[in-house]
Amino acid sequence: MAADMGKLTAEAKERLDAHVVEMMAWHFHESTGCPFWLQKKSELKFDPLRDVTGFADLRKFPPFEDEWLRGGPVRRWVPKAYQDKPTYVFETGGTTGIPKSRVVIDDFRIDYEMFSHTLPDAYFPRGANWLMLGPSGPRRLRLAVEHLCQYRGGICFCIDLDPRWVIKLIKKGWMEHLEAYKRHCIDQAVTVLTAGHDIKCLFATPKLLEALAAALEERGTTIPEAGITGIFSGGTEFTPQWTRFCIEEYFGGPPEVSGVYMTPTYGNTLMGLACSKPVTAAEGYKISYYAPQPRAAIEVVDFDDPDRVVDYGQTGRVRLTTLTKEFFVPGFLERDEGEREAPYEKYPWDGVSGVRPFHGLAGDTTVGVY
């Protein structure tokens, strides 16, 4: 078994290294690269086309600064090869001020089609309708979940939710207004769920899923009784304790008992979507996420030395590298921390568990609907 795992891990590394070389040839060639990276190339002390032969060589790049993604002109991020294609711009999270933004052509569709193949059809039936209970507006999540639903043959219902207003309410201490706004969002969801649309699948952040379950209970019903069988959820507050409570109290037991299957995910506008290893009671409901290699890779690195990957089981900061034809980000230090997880059969590369706000920034981070 260990030998098989070693072979799978080695093959995954080879694929990643080859993909990195291919992405260097794309992003740093005058005919295909975007203006940002073609200009940045002249500032580098190495030649990405010649000196990057694998993933480890990406450490030659200087730290990626998130300020580069704030403000315009946004077209500097559009690869020349795609300059005539219809282009989306998606903004990150719910933070106020000038948001980080990224351009997208098809990445959100590709990412969620890949994710679709990980969903069990028994709980996420083909052709089923979905409810998107999460942030709307200029965020990739709404369109991505809608595409996931359509890719699987269904129709997606969405609600209006502005996470930036939620953040403002929290910072002002207007908790009564916050509760009213949350109730407004949940009322929209309950209205759709009880309107005869035969919705079987749901995306929700953990906080909104909990609020929805409570609202349904107030009406004398439950998530299973509302017809939901598959739940895709994501957010930094996805803890083993909360997951166990949700499964036992809100669903009425594990999938084989309740008929409700929930899959946690860890995703963002820059990375795409990291799938989780199946969550089981036998492993204490631990949630381990694995990036969609080779399109993105996650490392858990030392807090003081981001070039040093911590040992398995040790805690560090999440460092993300995005490697698609539309978007290249080397070594971006996320606002999250967690524990490094070993590869496993389905995802034979490093993962991360216990994802939570990075302690060095946690005091400055307001967690809203996530």
Side-chain angles (χ1 to χ4, degrees), residues 9-69:
T9 302
E11 290 172 348
K13 182 182 182 303
E14 287 179 10
R15 285 193 299 272
L16 179 59
D17 286 342
H19 185 73
V20 166
V21 172
E22 181 183 344
M23 290 301 99
M24 293 303 98
W26 176 270
H27 286 285
F28 291 95
H29 194 281
E30 291 293 332
S31 66
T32 50
C34 69
F36 176 87
W37 282 117
L38 292 178
Q39 187 277 325
K40 188 66 67 176
K41 180 181 175 183
S42 65
E43 302 173 15
L44 299 174
K45 298 177 180 178
F46 64 97
D47 182 357
L49 296 172
R50 186 187 65 239
D51 301 329
V52 175
T53 60
F55 183 76
D57 289 330
L58 294 178
R59 284 179 170 74
K60 295 176 180 179
F61 283 92
F64 188 92
E65 299 177 24
D66 62 356
E67 291 303 314
W68 293 341
L69 297 172

Side-chain angles (χ1 to χ4, degrees), residues 234-249:
T236 57
E237 299 216 327
F238 226 124
T239 64
Q241 296 82 0
W242 181 85
T243 303
R244 178 176 182 173
F245 177 82
C246 203
I247 291 172
E248 293 180 351
E249 299 298 326

Side-chain angles (χ1 to χ4, degrees), residues 330-348:
F332 179 75
L333 289 172
E334 290 279 14
R335 300 172 69 89
D336 303 315
E337 64 180 58
E339 284 68 55
R340 183 186 177 196
E341 290 294 325
Y344 89 111
E345 292 89 344
K346 191 170 184 180
Y347 306 112

Side-chain angles (χ1 to χ4, degrees), residues 174-197:
W174 293 357
M175 306 317 287
E176 183 180 340
H177 295 262
L178 176 65
E179 282 302 311
Y181 187 69
K182 183 168 73 172
R183 173 65 66 174
H184 163 65
C185 294
I186 296 302
D187 283 348
Q188 294 177 63
V190 172
T191 298
V192 172
L193 280 178
T194 56
H197 292 303

Side-chain angles (χ1 to χ4, degrees), residues 92-94 135 139 141 163 203 205-207 234-238 367-370:
T92 56
R139 290 157 203 90
L141 192 58
F203 170 84
T205 68
K207 286 187 175 181
T236 57
E237 299 216 327
F238 226 124
V367 180
V369 297
Y370 298 99

Side-chain angles (χ1 to χ4, degrees), residues 103-115:
V103 296
V104 177
I105 292 91
D106 287 310
D107 270 354
F108 74 97
R109 297 186 184 95
I110 296 167
D111 291 339
Y112 278 72
E113 287 172 15
M114 289 172 61
F115 173 61

